[in-house]
Amino acid sequence: MALTVNVTAAVRVLVPLLPVTAAAVLLGGCVAPAPRAAPPAATPAVSPAAAGRAAGELEEDYRNVIRDVLPSVVQIEAGQGIGSGVVWDERGHIVTNAHVVGGERSFRVTVATGEEVLAARLVSSYPEQDLAVIRLDAPPPGLKPARFGDSSKVEVGQIVLAMGSPLGLSGSVTQGIVSATGRTVSEGGAGGGTGATIGNMVQTSAAINPGNSGGALVNLAGEVVGIPTLAATEPGMSGGPAPGIGFAIPSSMVRTIADQIVRTGRVTHSGRAALGIAGRTVLDDDYRPAGVAIAEVARGGAAADAGLRAGDIITRVGDTDITTITSLLEALASAKPGDRVPVTYLRDGRRGTVTVTLGEM
């Protein structure tokens, strides 16, 4: 299932550094020659044989991880779309993206080896976090659940593998590193996207292509540390893909959401902060986004308890300026229920600030 996200930060063009030739300028007069610096200590050379052994050991690590995890990654056909999924348990539960299942309720699931095509049905979808769980009607013997790791221990530079069905090529594997952690990304609602704003995502250089969504981002210990979900697009390339910039939902959030769906059939505690309002972006006199006007305040919600009311225009939450609905959602995505944050607003042209104890979505 194809899904891309526009990265709002400007893309910088890097100019290669050219070698600079330094010319010696001689000044009149004689000076004593500077003492020669001691030659640098020689760096021990790595023999081709040692380098070959190191490469061979890394390749063997890759093969071991792929043999261990790939049987737990499936291809999901949802209507006319194709995405990926990860086996959650031996009872046939499979976790994937909400935008992969879309509005469908029945699916065809193909295991990584392509030997079996199985029927599955939707258990529940949670578009707010772009996660869903489906279940096989008749789980085959030996169905192998994946091991989900602790995404809080993921570090920049860590080698990861992305497994899934890019462009319908089931059982495909790409390799990269963790490029960044803690990203907050807003999906586009077009092209099947849920429009969700997701916090604490893992950014990776492993290739994420249409069909990878819902698959597995795996460390070299064979643990799933994220669910590949988004591929960035570069505005300067007519919305084309920006190579090496993909995003995965962290495994800690996947466990939180999937476990509730499997146990109760729905999400009861999202772990996501909420203000308890309905709002819309407002524009200033120059037609620029200037804040979020509160259209409705939920009774008993965080905003109502703090004294905010319909008609107020939110301009800042914590240390973040608020200009649009998206910027408000991104500010809340990095917070937790129960956090106390200052909220600045305009009411009848006057500025005010209240401290809001955030609720839960």
Side-chain angles (χ1 to χ4, degrees):
M1 187 74 64
L3 181 60
T4 58
V5 58
N6 289 324
V7 179
T8 55
V11 177
R12 299 178 179 177
V13 178
L14 303 183
V15 179
L17 298 176
L18 301 178
V20 178
T21 301
V25 179
L26 298 180
L27 301 180
C30 295
V31 294
R36 292 186 179 181
T43 302
V46 178
S47 70
R53 285 196 300 272
E57 290 171 359
L58 183 59
E59 288 176 356
E60 185 61 26
D61 287 341
Y62 284 8
R63 287 192 289 266
N64 288 337
V65 171
I66 292 168
R67 283 193 293 263
D68 184 38
V69 182
L70 198 56
S72 303
V73 180
V74 303
Q75 178 176 291
I76 300 173
E77 296 178 51
Q80 300 300 311
I82 293 178
S84 304
V86 182
V87 177
W88 180 259
D89 60 26
E90 295 176 347
R91 294 184 293 158
H93 289 102
I94 295 168
V95 63
T96 184
N97 285 133
H99 78 261
V100 169
V101 303
E104 303 294 326
R105 302 193 66 83
S106 59
F107 313 93
R108 287 166 51 88
V109 174
T110 306
V111 298
T113 58
E115 296 170 353
E116 292 185 86
V117 178
L118 308 168
R121 297 186 181 278
L122 179 68
V123 178
S124 185
S125 178
Y126 188 65
E128 290 83 355
Q129 193 66 36
D130 200 0
L131 289 170
V133 174
I134 65 176
R135 186 176 184 180
L136 298 173
D137 291 346
L143 188 66
K144 184 179 182 181
R147 291 187 295 120
F148 282 78
D150 184 354
S151 54
S152 68
K153 295 180 180 178
V154 169
E155 296 182 352
V156 174
Q158 186 173 348
I159 294 174
V160 286
L161 305 177
M163 303 183 187
S165 299
L167 306 179
L169 300 171
S170 63
S172 294
V173 182
T174 56
Q175 175 267 339
I177 64 169
V178 173
S179 306
T181 59
R183 295 295 198 204
T184 297
V185 181
S186 294
E187 295 180 356
T194 64
T197 297
I198 307 171
N200 203 31
M201 295 191 84
V202 178
Q203 182 182 330
T204 180
S205 64
I208 306 296
N209 292 296
N212 268 122
S213 291
L217 189 69
V218 184
N219 62 21
L220 291 188
E223 299 171 327
V224 178
V225 295
I227 298 293
T229 300
L230 301 168
T233 58
E234 205 279 279
M237 298 172 61
S238 301
I245 305 178
F247 302 93
I249 299 172
S251 56
S252 56
M253 179 56 71
V254 177
R255 287 202 307 266
T256 296
I257 299 301
D259 183 63
Q260 292 178 67
I261 292 177
V262 169
R263 286 189 296 104
T264 69
R266 61 192 181 97
V267 176
T268 55
H269 301 287
S270 68
R272 298 191 55 175
L275 268 178
I277 67 165
R280 59 182 177 83
T281 300
V282 295
L283 306 178
D284 62 16
D285 293 338
D286 294 321
Y287 300 99
R288 295 174 301 189
V292 172
I294 299 177
E296 183 180 351
V297 177
R299 181 177 300 177
D305 289 346
L308 293 172
R309 61 193 191 209
D312 292 345
I313 299 175
I314 297 173
T315 60
R316 192 173 180 84
V317 172
D319 297 328
T320 303
D321 290 329
I322 303 301
T323 55
T324 64
I325 283 287
T326 297
S327 64
L328 176 59
L329 291 173
E330 289 176 348
L332 294 174
S334 60
K336 297 178 180 179
D339 286 353
R340 290 171 54 83
V341 297
V343 175
T344 300
Y345 63 96
L346 294 174
R347 178 182 295 167
D348 299 328
R350 296 183 178 181
R351 190 175 304 275
T353 300
V354 294
T355 299
V356 178
T357 301
L358 296 174
E360 187 171 19
M361 183 180 291

